[in-house]
PDB file of all heavy atoms in Angstrom:
ATOM      1  N   PHE O   1      -2.468 -16.993   2.896  1.00 95.00           N
ATOM      2  CA  PHE O   1      -1.070 -17.339   2.544  1.00 95.00           C
ATOM      3  C   PHE O   1      -0.621 -18.275   3.724  1.00 95.00           C
ATOM      4  O   PHE O   1      -0.446 -17.800   4.820  1.00 95.00           O
ATOM      5  CB  PHE O   1      -0.230 -16.137   2.532  1.00 95.00           C
ATOM      6  CG  PHE O   1      -0.643 -15.216   1.398  1.00 95.00           C
ATOM      7  CD1 PHE O   1      -1.475 -14.143   1.633  1.00 95.00           C
ATOM      8  CD2 PHE O   1      -0.016 -15.353   0.097  1.00 95.00           C
ATOM      9  CE1 PHE O   1      -1.837 -13.270   0.533  1.00 95.00           C
ATOM     10  CE2 PHE O   1      -0.389 -14.482  -0.913  1.00 95.00           C
ATOM     11  CZ  PHE O   1      -1.306 -13.419  -0.677  1.00 95.00           C
ATOM     12  N   ASP O   2      -0.446 -19.544   3.407  1.00 95.00           N
ATOM     13  CA  ASP O   2      -0.145 -20.490   4.492  1.00 95.00           C
ATOM     14  C   ASP O   2       0.813 -21.586   3.984  1.00 95.00           C
ATOM     15  O   ASP O   2       0.429 -22.686   3.646  1.00 95.00           O
ATOM     16  CB  ASP O   2      -1.446 -21.144   4.927  1.00 95.00           C
ATOM     17  CG  ASP O   2      -1.234 -22.081   6.036  1.00 95.00           C
ATOM     18  OD1 ASP O   2      -0.242 -22.024   6.744  1.00 95.00           O
ATOM     19  OD2 ASP O   2      -2.165 -22.992   6.268  1.00 95.00           O
ATOM     20  N   GLY O   3       2.114 -21.265   3.960  1.00 96.00           N
ATOM     21  CA  GLY O   3       3.092 -22.247   3.540  1.00 96.00           C
ATOM     22  C   GLY O   3       4.415 -21.949   4.227  1.00 96.00           C
ATOM     23  O   GLY O   3       5.041 -20.885   3.996  1.00 96.00           O
ATOM     24  N   VAL O   4       4.886 -22.860   5.069  1.00 95.00           N
ATOM     25  CA  VAL O   4       6.113 -22.623   5.776  1.00 95.00           C
ATOM     26  C   VAL O   4       7.292 -22.645   4.763  1.00 95.00           C
ATOM     27  O   VAL O   4       7.461 -23.538   4.069  1.00 95.00           O
ATOM     28  CB  VAL O   4       6.388 -23.744   6.842  1.00 95.00           C
ATOM     29  CG1 VAL O   4       7.835 -23.522   7.480  1.00 95.00           C
ATOM     30  CG2 VAL O   4       5.333 -23.664   7.856  1.00 95.00           C
ATOM     31  N   GLY O   5       8.004 -21.514   4.696  1.00 95.00           N
ATOM     32  CA  GLY O   5       9.041 -21.379   3.657  1.00 95.00           C
ATOM     33  C   GLY O   5       8.541 -20.835   2.341  1.00 95.00           C
ATOM     34  O   GLY O   5       9.337 -20.560   1.408  1.00 95.00           O
ATOM     35  N   GLY O   6       7.240 -20.556   2.299  1.00 97.00           N
ATOM     36  CA  GLY O   6       6.681 -20.054   0.981  1.00 97.00           C
ATOM     37  C   GLY O   6       6.901 -18.604   0.815  1.00 97.00           C
ATOM     38  O   GLY O   6       7.053 -17.857   1.826  1.00 97.00           O
ATOM     39  N   GLU O   7       7.042 -18.150  -0.376  1.00 96.00           N
ATOM     40  CA  GLU O   7       7.170 -16.695  -0.677  1.00 96.00           C
ATOM     41  C   GLU O   7       6.258 -16.377  -1.867  1.00 96.00           C
ATOM     42  O   GLU O   7       6.242 -17.061  -2.889  1.00 96.00           O
ATOM     43  CB  GLU O   7       8.562 -16.283  -1.012  1.00 96.00           C
ATOM     44  CG  GLU O   7       9.552 -16.351   0.130  1.00 96.00           C
ATOM     45  CD  GLU O   7      10.928 -15.940  -0.267  1.00 96.00           C
ATOM     46  OE1 GLU O   7      11.177 -15.560  -1.468  1.00 96.00           O
ATOM     47  OE2 GLU O   7      11.789 -15.890   0.649  1.00 96.00           O
ATOM     48  N   TRP O   8       5.446 -15.269  -1.777  1.00 96.00           N
ATOM     49  CA  TRP O   8       4.575 -14.886  -2.865  1.00 96.00           C
ATOM     50  C   TRP O   8       4.837 -13.417  -3.181  1.00 96.00           C
ATOM     51  O   TRP O   8       4.893 -12.558  -2.200  1.00 96.00           O
ATOM     52  CB  TRP O   8       3.071 -15.078  -2.492  1.00 96.00           C
ATOM     53  CG  TRP O   8       2.739 -16.472  -2.113  1.00 96.00           C
ATOM     54  CD1 TRP O   8       2.301 -17.446  -3.020  1.00 96.00           C
ATOM     55  CD2 TRP O   8       2.842 -17.108  -0.847  1.00 96.00           C
ATOM     56  NE1 TRP O   8       2.015 -18.628  -2.347  1.00 96.00           N
ATOM     57  CE2 TRP O   8       2.405 -18.496  -1.030  1.00 96.00           C
ATOM     58  CE3 TRP O   8       3.213 -16.665   0.431  1.00 96.00           C
ATOM     59  CZ2 TRP O   8       2.317 -19.356   0.002  1.00 96.00           C
ATOM     60  CZ3 TRP O   8       3.158 -17.614   1.435  1.00 96.00           C
ATOM     61  CH2 TRP O   8       2.753 -18.977   1.254  1.00 96.00           C
ATOM     62  N   THR O   9       4.887 -13.077  -4.416  1.00 96.00           N
ATOM     63  CA  THR O   9       5.022 -11.708  -4.836  1.00 96.00           C
ATOM     64  C   THR O   9       3.833 -11.307  -5.694  1.00 96.00           C
ATOM     65  O   THR O   9       3.500 -11.940  -6.576  1.00 96.00           O
ATOM     66  CB  THR O   9       6.301 -11.514  -5.701  1.00 96.00           C
ATOM     67  OG1 THR O   9       7.491 -11.935  -4.902  1.00 96.00           O
ATOM     68  CG2 THR O   9       6.561 -10.101  -6.117  1.00 96.00           C
ATOM     69  N   LEU O  10       3.183 -10.192  -5.230  1.00 93.00           N
ATOM     70  CA  LEU O  10       2.037  -9.693  -5.933  1.00 93.00           C
ATOM     71  C   LEU O  10       2.503  -9.136  -7.273  1.00 93.00           C
ATOM     72  O   LEU O  10       3.443  -8.454  -7.409  1.00 93.00           O
ATOM     73  CB  LEU O  10       1.269  -8.601  -5.127  1.00 93.00           C
ATOM     74  CG  LEU O  10       0.774  -9.012  -3.761  1.00 93.00           C
ATOM     75  CD1 LEU O  10      -0.063  -7.912  -3.166  1.00 93.00           C
ATOM     76  CD2 LEU O  10       0.057 -10.350  -3.678  1.00 93.00           C
ATOM     77  N   GLN O  11       1.612  -9.361  -8.325  1.00 93.00           N
ATOM     78  CA  GLN O  11       1.923  -8.824  -9.647  1.00 93.00           C
ATOM     79  C   GLN O  11       1.054  -7.614  -9.931  1.00 93.00           C
ATOM     80  O   GLN O  11       1.235  -6.919 -10.971  1.00 93.00           O
ATOM     81  CB  GLN O  11       1.687  -9.901 -10.720  1.00 93.00           C
ATOM     82  CG  GLN O  11       2.488 -11.165 -10.436  1.00 93.00           C
ATOM     83  CD  GLN O  11       4.029 -10.803 -10.498  1.00 93.00           C
ATOM     84  OE1 GLN O  11       4.552 -10.456 -11.541  1.00 93.00           O
ATOM     85  NE2 GLN O  11       4.675 -10.994  -9.350  1.00 93.00           N
ATOM     86  N   ASP O  12      -0.008  -7.381  -9.163  1.00 89.00           N
ATOM     87  CA  ASP O  12      -0.864  -6.264  -9.400  1.00 89.00           C
ATOM     88  C   ASP O  12      -1.676  -6.011  -8.095  1.00 89.00           C
ATOM     89  O   ASP O  12      -1.520  -6.776  -7.133  1.00 89.00           O
ATOM     90  CB  ASP O  12      -1.825  -6.500 -10.582  1.00 89.00           C
ATOM     91  CG  ASP O  12      -2.723  -7.729 -10.476  1.00 89.00           C
ATOM     92  OD1 ASP O  12      -2.690  -8.310  -9.345  1.00 89.00           O
ATOM     93  OD2 ASP O  12      -3.345  -8.082 -11.393  1.00 89.00           O
ATOM     94  N   THR O  13      -2.459  -4.978  -8.077  1.00 87.00           N
ATOM     95  CA  THR O  13      -3.302  -4.710  -6.914  1.00 87.00           C
ATOM     96  C   THR O  13      -4.286  -5.927  -6.673  1.00 87.00           C
ATOM     97  O   THR O  13      -4.893  -6.406  -7.608  1.00 87.00           O
ATOM     98  CB  THR O  13      -4.107  -3.407  -7.082  1.00 87.00           C
ATOM     99  OG1 THR O  13      -3.226  -2.327  -7.206  1.00 87.00           O
ATOM    100  CG2 THR O  13      -5.084  -3.119  -5.925  1.00 87.00           C
ATOM    101  N   VAL O  14      -4.426  -6.282  -5.421  1.00 86.00           N
ATOM    102  CA  VAL O  14      -5.372  -7.351  -5.003  1.00 86.00           C
ATOM    103  C   VAL O  14      -6.546  -6.705  -4.422  1.00 86.00           C
ATOM    104  O   VAL O  14      -6.460  -6.153  -3.325  1.00 86.00           O
ATOM    105  CB  VAL O  14      -4.675  -8.309  -4.048  1.00 86.00           C
ATOM    106  CG1 VAL O  14      -5.693  -9.310  -3.500  1.00 86.00           C
ATOM    107  CG2 VAL O  14      -3.519  -9.071  -4.778  1.00 86.00           C
ATOM    108  N   TYR O  15      -7.673  -6.799  -5.096  1.00 82.00           N
ATOM    109  CA  TYR O  15      -8.966  -6.368  -4.552  1.00 82.00           C
ATOM    110  C   TYR O  15      -9.702  -7.610  -4.013  1.00 82.00           C
ATOM    111  O   TYR O  15     -10.047  -8.471  -4.720  1.00 82.00           O
ATOM    112  CB  TYR O  15      -9.790  -5.742  -5.609  1.00 82.00           C
ATOM    113  CG  TYR O  15      -9.221  -4.496  -6.280  1.00 82.00           C
ATOM    114  CD1 TYR O  15      -8.435  -4.638  -7.334  1.00 82.00           C
ATOM    115  CD2 TYR O  15      -9.487  -3.261  -5.777  1.00 82.00           C
ATOM    116  CE1 TYR O  15      -7.869  -3.434  -7.982  1.00 82.00           C
ATOM    117  CE2 TYR O  15      -8.966  -2.142  -6.363  1.00 82.00           C
ATOM    118  CZ  TYR O  15      -8.178  -2.245  -7.492  1.00 82.00           C
ATOM    119  OH  TYR O  15      -7.632  -1.131  -8.062  1.00 82.00           O
ATOM    120  N   ASN O  16      -9.928  -7.564  -2.649  1.00 78.00           N
ATOM    121  CA  ASN O  16     -10.488  -8.839  -2.024  1.00 78.00           C
ATOM    122  C   ASN O  16     -11.674  -8.471  -1.324  1.00 78.00           C
ATOM    123  O   ASN O  16     -11.826  -7.448  -0.598  1.00 78.00           O
ATOM    124  CB  ASN O  16      -9.374  -9.409  -1.136  1.00 78.00           C
ATOM    125  CG  ASN O  16      -9.891 -10.527  -0.244  1.00 78.00           C
ATOM    126  OD1 ASN O  16     -10.225 -10.305   0.907  1.00 78.00           O
ATOM    127  ND2 ASN O  16     -10.009 -11.664  -0.798  1.00 78.00           N
ATOM    128  N   ALA O  17     -12.761  -9.322  -1.528  1.00 67.00           N
ATOM    129  CA  ALA O  17     -14.061  -8.990  -0.972  1.00 67.00           C
ATOM    130  C   ALA O  17     -14.146  -9.137   0.536  1.00 67.00           C
ATOM    131  O   ALA O  17     -14.957  -8.477   1.173  1.00 67.00           O
ATOM    132  CB  ALA O  17     -15.182  -9.801  -1.629  1.00 67.00           C
ATOM    133  N   SER O  18     -13.395 -10.129   1.113  1.00 81.00           N
ATOM    134  CA  SER O  18     -13.580 -10.338   2.551  1.00 81.00           C
ATOM    135  C   SER O  18     -12.283 -10.273   3.221  1.00 81.00           C
ATOM    136  O   SER O  18     -11.904  -9.230   3.804  1.00 81.00           O
ATOM    137  CB  SER O  18     -14.188 -11.726   2.672  1.00 81.00           C
ATOM    138  OG  SER O  18     -14.527 -11.964   3.982  1.00 81.00           O
ATOM    139  N   THR O  19     -11.475 -11.389   3.366  1.00 85.00           N
ATOM    140  CA  THR O  19     -10.370 -11.447   4.312  1.00 85.00           C
ATOM    141  C   THR O  19      -9.103 -11.939   3.657  1.00 85.00           C
ATOM    142  O   THR O  19      -9.140 -12.953   2.887  1.00 85.00           O
ATOM    143  CB  THR O  19     -10.713 -12.398   5.523  1.00 85.00           C
ATOM    144  OG1 THR O  19     -11.965 -11.945   6.136  1.00 85.00           O
ATOM    145  CG2 THR O  19      -9.622 -12.478   6.537  1.00 85.00           C
ATOM    146  N   ILE O  20      -8.029 -11.339   3.934  1.00 88.00           N
ATOM    147  CA  ILE O  20      -6.689 -11.837   3.597  1.00 88.00           C
ATOM    148  C   ILE O  20      -6.007 -12.230   4.828  1.00 88.00           C
ATOM    149  O   ILE O  20      -5.959 -11.412   5.822  1.00 88.00           O
ATOM    150  CB  ILE O  20      -5.851 -10.809   2.853  1.00 88.00           C
ATOM    151  CG1 ILE O  20      -6.520 -10.461   1.500  1.00 88.00           C
ATOM    152  CG2 ILE O  20      -4.424 -11.286   2.592  1.00 88.00           C
ATOM    153  CD1 ILE O  20      -5.781  -9.314   0.784  1.00 88.00           C
ATOM    154  N   THR O  21      -5.465 -13.454   4.966  1.00 90.00           N
ATOM    155  CA  THR O  21      -4.789 -13.890   6.183  1.00 90.00           C
ATOM    156  C   THR O  21      -3.450 -14.433   5.773  1.00 90.00           C
ATOM    157  O   THR O  21      -3.253 -15.161   4.836  1.00 90.00           O
ATOM    158  CB  THR O  21      -5.596 -15.080   6.765  1.00 90.00           C
ATOM    159  OG1 THR O  21      -6.899 -14.698   7.100  1.00 90.00           O
ATOM    160  CG2 THR O  21      -4.910 -15.542   8.077  1.00 90.00           C
ATOM    161  N   LEU O  22      -2.405 -13.923   6.523  1.00 91.00           N
ATOM    162  CA  LEU O  22      -1.043 -14.476   6.411  1.00 91.00           C
ATOM    163  C   LEU O  22      -0.763 -15.274   7.659  1.00 91.00           C
ATOM    164  O   LEU O  22      -0.641 -14.773   8.725  1.00 91.00           O
ATOM    165  CB  LEU O  22      -0.070 -13.318   6.279  1.00 91.00           C
ATOM    166  CG  LEU O  22       1.458 -13.611   6.299  1.00 91.00           C
ATOM    167  CD1 LEU O  22       1.795 -14.673   5.142  1.00 91.00           C
ATOM    168  CD2 LEU O  22       2.283 -12.365   6.110  1.00 91.00           C
ATOM    169  N   THR O  23      -0.653 -16.602   7.388  1.00 91.00           N
ATOM    170  CA  THR O  23      -0.466 -17.556   8.525  1.00 91.00           C
ATOM    171  C   THR O  23       1.058 -17.985   8.600  1.00 91.00           C
ATOM    172  O   THR O  23       1.526 -18.061   9.720  1.00 91.00           O
ATOM    173  CB  THR O  23      -1.323 -18.804   8.305  1.00 91.00           C
ATOM    174  OG1 THR O  23      -2.695 -18.441   8.272  1.00 91.00           O
ATOM    175  CG2 THR O  23      -1.112 -19.803   9.480  1.00 91.00           C
ATOM    176  N   SER O  24       1.634 -18.184   7.488  1.00 93.00           N
ATOM    177  CA  SER O  24       3.079 -18.439   7.409  1.00 93.00           C
ATOM    178  C   SER O  24       3.613 -18.137   6.052  1.00 93.00           C
ATOM    179  O   SER O  24       2.924 -18.228   5.063  1.00 93.00           O
ATOM    180  CB  SER O  24       3.331 -19.971   7.820  1.00 93.00           C
ATOM    181  OG  SER O  24       2.580 -20.820   6.957  1.00 93.00           O
TER     182      SER O  24
END
């Protein structure tokens, strides 16, 4: 997740094999 001013809302469970990164 990398966007200055960005907003994301999950709609369901996120199953991720490796890495989730929140940069901005």
Side-chain angles (χ1 to χ4, degrees):
F1 296 93
D2 182 19
V4 175
E7 292 182 359
W8 300 269
T9 301
L10 302 189
Q11 302 301 295
D12 56 9
T13 295
V14 172
Y15 298 90
N16 174 256
S18 187
T19 303
I20 297 174
T21 302
L22 173 56
T23 302
S24 55

